[in-house]
Amino acid sequence: MTQAEINKARTRIFVDGMSLREISDKSGVPIDTVRHRYMSGKRTIEELTRNDNLHNDAYRVEVACGSGKRFLENAVDRHISLTEVSKRSGVPRSSIYHFIYNNGDISSLRLAKICGVVGCSMDQVMGLKR
């Protein structure tokens, strides 16, 4: 076994005998979502793979922060998922999630791209205009 294989094997996390990657592949839930849920304290396959699509938008908007909350409200109103925003804009989904839920910084170029996909203005998202 090479050193790279050893390092890869060490970093695997298993839940009920399945790695997070296997759980993701079988359930269809993106791997970064499964990892985030695991790091947030979810330890069962059911918790890691629950369906959070459009039926749970009210909760998703409630936990969002500041400018990210205004952006997410626009995306939800237009029925555009964050995965779709990421695909169309070329901005990594993790950056969009960080902006929305952790009040993280996002470059003006990336913000312009994701606002263009959703069809809202940067001024509106930043709270400068209604």
Side-chain angles (χ1 to χ4, degrees), residues 9-77:
R10 281 187 196 151
T11 60
R12 277 199 171 155
I13 299 171
F14 289 89
V15 175
D16 295 338
M18 294 173 53
S19 72
L20 296 184
R21 170 66 67 189
E22 291 170 333
I23 293 170
S24 171
D25 291 343
K26 287 186 179 184
S27 67
V29 175
I31 184 65
D32 57 334
T33 301
V34 173
R35 282 188 189 127
H36 175 74
R37 289 175 180 168
Y38 183 84
M39 296 308 195
S40 298
K42 310 296 189 234
R43 295 295 190 265
T44 65
I45 291 178
E46 292 79 25
E47 291 174 324
L48 295 172
T49 60
R50 74 181 192 282
N51 187 358
D52 277 345
N53 289 340
L54 295 176
H55 74 280
N56 211 2
D57 285 337
Y59 172 75
R60 292 173 57 211
V61 170
E62 187 64 34
V63 298
C65 305
S67 299
K69 183 173 186 170
R70 288 186 289 272
F71 173 79
L72 185 59
E73 286 171 345
N74 282 294
V76 167
D77 288 346

